[in-house]
Structure formats: structure tokens, C-alpha cells
Amino acid sequence: DPVFEGREVLVADDEESIRSTVRAVLEQQGCIVTEFAEGTSAIRAIRDRATAGRPFDLVVSDVRMPDANGYEVFKATKDTSAATPVMLMTAFGYDPNHSIVRSSQEGLHCFLFKPFQVSQLLEEARKALTEQIARRG
């Protein structure tokens, strides 16, 4: 799929099984995936890549991680590269930091509730990358 081919995607989730599943699905479509087990490292990579003029094409992050939450990952992405779409994932309906509401109001591409179907991940990633390609020209 040309929409996915060569696209660089960051995946952040403290659950190894989720990270590896998302990575495998996206790599199978042709993406280049960089994964992180915590938000702080993901945020550092997002900022470093943006500073180098090579922002990620898509960021997929869990909301609930021990060190930095999904909203912080979303905010770092939007602050450094507004055109980069962000997809947040959560297994919890409880949202103490209001990540869902705040990020949705500020341009979040979508929210995936775990467990989600692979087809849903691919559909939303395809939409996000198609919109990102259109914005960047």
C-alpha cells in the first residue's frame, strides 16, 4: 500500500504485547516503526526528529503510561510538528487527566479503545497518513 510504504511511525506503549502487535501490523504494510516503552523517551525522540527536520509521519501512543501520559506525547508532537497526526489508545474508560477531551479539542486524529481490531488500526492509520500527505503536499 503506497500510503504506508516508507512512512515513519512512532509507537509508545508500556505494554510490550501492544507495541509489538502495532509494530508488526504497520511494518507488514511497509511502515518503518520506532517503538518506546515509555512516554518520556518517545517525547525526546519526537522533539529530536522534529528539530532535525525529519518529523515522524504518524504517532501512535497509549494514554496511560507510568512516566508521561498520552496527552503529553500528543502535545509534544503538535508543538514540534503540527502536521503529524496522532492516534491515542487506551484500555481504560477512566480518564483522570482528560486526555481524550483535551487532545480531541486540539486536533487528535482518533482514539482507539483496546482491544481494537487490526482492521480498525489500519483504517485509522491509513486515514491519518492520507490526511498528513495532503497537508504536507
Side-chain angles (χ1 to χ4, degrees):
D1 188 332
V3 171
F4 290 103
E5 192 62 41
R7 299 289 169 200
E8 297 196 54
V9 181
L10 179 142
V11 176
D13 197 309
D14 58 322
E15 292 181 60
E16 197 279 329
S17 62
I18 299 291
R19 279 194 326 273
S20 63
T21 299
V22 173
R23 182 190 70 236
V25 167
L26 293 176
E27 284 180 344
Q28 193 171 32
Q29 298 299 314
C31 292
I32 300 161
V33 179
T34 305
E35 63 179 82
F36 295 92
E38 76 285 325
T40 304
S41 296
I43 290 169
R44 189 176 312 114
I46 288 163
R47 289 179 177 151
D48 289 349
R49 291 283 302 265
T51 299
R54 294 180 42 242
F56 286 98
D57 295 304
L58 175 64
V59 172
V60 181
S61 177
D62 189 20
V63 166
R64 192 169 176 176
M65 295 181 283
D67 62 333
N69 66 40
Y71 179 75
E72 292 169 295
V73 172
F74 166 80
K75 190 80 173 113
T77 303
K78 291 303 175 182
D79 287 349
T80 58
S81 177
T84 300
V86 178
M87 295 168 53
L88 293 179
M89 309 175 286
T90 189
F92 304 96
Y94 179 61
D95 186 20
N97 298 309
H98 305 290
S99 299
I100 297 170
V101 173
R102 289 193 301 170
S103 53
S104 295
Q105 291 171 338
E106 296 173 24
L108 178 70
H109 173 73
C110 79
F111 223 99
L112 296 175
F113 290 94
K114 300 176 195 173
F116 49 82
Q117 300 294 317
V118 168
S119 59
Q120 184 185 14
L121 170 66
L122 287 174
E123 179 184 336
E124 291 298 341
R126 181 177 285 108
K127 279 195 251 178
L129 288 168
T130 300
E131 291 169 12
Q132 185 257 2
I133 291 165
R135 277 195 299 272
R136 286 190 179 162

